[in-house]
Amino acid sequence: MVHIENLVKRYGDLLALDHLNLDIKEGEVFGLLGPNGSGKTTAINCLLALLKYDKGTITLFGQEMHPDSYDLKRQIGVVPQNVAVFDQMTVYENIDYFCGLYIKDRTRRKELTEEAIRFAGLEDHRKMLPRKLSGGLLRRLNIACGIAHKPKLIIMDEPTVAVDPQSRNRILEGILELNRQGSTIIYTSHYMEEVEQICSRIVIMDHGRSIASGTTEELKRMIRTAETIRIEGIALTEEQLAAVKELPHVFQAGYEDQKLTVKCTSAKHNLIRVLNYLQQQEVSFGRVYSELPTLNDVFLEITGKELRD
């Protein structure tokens, strides 16, 4: 559905996109991740033909994308990170207006507007102005405006920023429902657990390039971390910490505020080896956790950066 090949974009001396290649298949919920400044927003703006690029090709639905490719743009819905609605218009009027940018038939537009209101759970708020809505409801209105015309491709940029957990769950469930109804979705987020929950495939960008791609499980198999052991309420000497680091299959160990964190490669009995050593040293401790790698572990190991930096 989307093919980006050797995309290059410069801002003066800054190389924002460095021969970026991306392929997004029909029916995917495609996660696009990267630290700030990695090129995600630039790539999306180029994809939408809102930004002129220096080199490369972008193909949507089998056709090359240009600024005047209006037939292609009618098949795209955009849910921006910053809420983009009219404060002077009611919930219904906002959705009707944005739907009307794509659908000219009034009867059909009314049907789609009502469907979007039901989909977003805004039935009881249809006559309210946006400024009267809670943060979660405002985000749901933002989504309804972007998807009311039933686009084949939906781009969602941080749709759950600063919303409560209940609204976040409602939004994520709605995204999966849109996908079940036939929409392909490009999803960006700083919340790794969301991406892990809903995305069928993920690309991690950095320095304007795709540096890793695959399903969540495929990405996890790319890194060294296979198990993270956390032990609280423990008092360790520097010598004991150094000994933990020398245990088989341990490649990283840190100790701070009476908490020991040990990262291990794939092997059986990692936890038992660590606990046996502590028992031999007669070191007491509190709670113990053993965790499989998360998408956040993948991101940190591959990019060396916190996603929220």
Side-chain angles (χ1 to χ4, degrees), residues 113-150:
T113 299
E114 292 290 349
E115 187 173 335
I117 286 175
R118 290 193 298 272
F119 175 82
L122 295 169
E123 297 96 323
D124 296 335
H125 311 280
R126 56 194 304 127
K127 294 182 179 180
M128 293 180 65
L129 296 174
R131 64 174 178 269
K132 299 290 186 179
L133 300 176
S134 67
L137 290 173
L138 193 58
R139 286 283 170 186
R140 281 150 61 178
L141 172 60
N142 201 43
I143 292 172
C145 291
I147 59 91
H149 61 292
K150 287 193 172 298

Side-chain angles (χ1 to χ4, degrees), residues 57-77:
T57 57
I58 298 176
T59 303
L60 271 70
F61 315 113
Q63 301 179 53
E64 192 166 344
M65 183 67 161
H66 299 287
D68 59 352
S69 299
Y70 300 116
D71 287 342
L72 297 181
K73 291 184 177 184
R74 288 189 184 94
Q75 302 178 67
I76 302 172

Side-chain angles (χ1 to χ4, degrees), residues 162-281:
V163 301
D164 61 274
Q166 184 177 4
S167 294
R168 176 174 287 117
N169 288 336
R170 177 70 182 253
I171 290 170
L172 295 178
E173 289 170 1
I175 291 169
L176 292 175
E177 179 59 30
L178 288 170
N179 182 244
R180 284 191 289 268
Q181 292 176 7
S183 294
T184 300
I185 296 165
I186 300 175
Y187 189 82
T188 77
S189 178
H190 278 63
Y191 301 112
M192 289 293 192
E193 64 277 7
E194 291 183 2
V195 176
E196 197 162 355
Q197 178 180 342
I198 69 171
C199 291
S200 52
R201 194 161 60 91
I202 300 160
V203 160
I204 298 176
M205 288 183 64
D206 201 11
H207 301 295
R209 303 188 307 273
S210 169
I211 59 173
S213 67
T215 64
T216 299
E217 294 307 314
E218 288 170 344
L219 289 172
K220 288 177 182 179
R221 289 195 291 269
M222 294 179 187
I223 64 172
R224 294 178 69 190
T225 304
E227 182 179 10
T228 301
I229 299 167
R230 305 183 196 278
I231 302 176
E232 297 180 353
I234 184 171
L236 283 184
T237 65
E238 291 185 8
E239 292 78 9
Q240 289 168 334
L241 177 60
V244 170
K245 292 179 179 179
E246 294 300 320
L247 291 174
H249 305 288
V250 172
F251 69 89
Q252 182 180 324
Y255 177 63
E256 187 177 1
D257 296 330
Q258 292 191 319
K259 295 179 182 178
L260 174 65
T261 301
V262 182
K263 291 187 177 292
C264 306
T265 57
S266 181
K268 294 181 179 179
H269 312 308
N270 285 322
L271 178 59
I272 293 174
R273 271 188 291 274
V274 173
L275 294 181
N276 281 343
Y277 170 76
L278 296 177
Q279 186 178 30
Q280 292 167 10
Q281 295 292 305

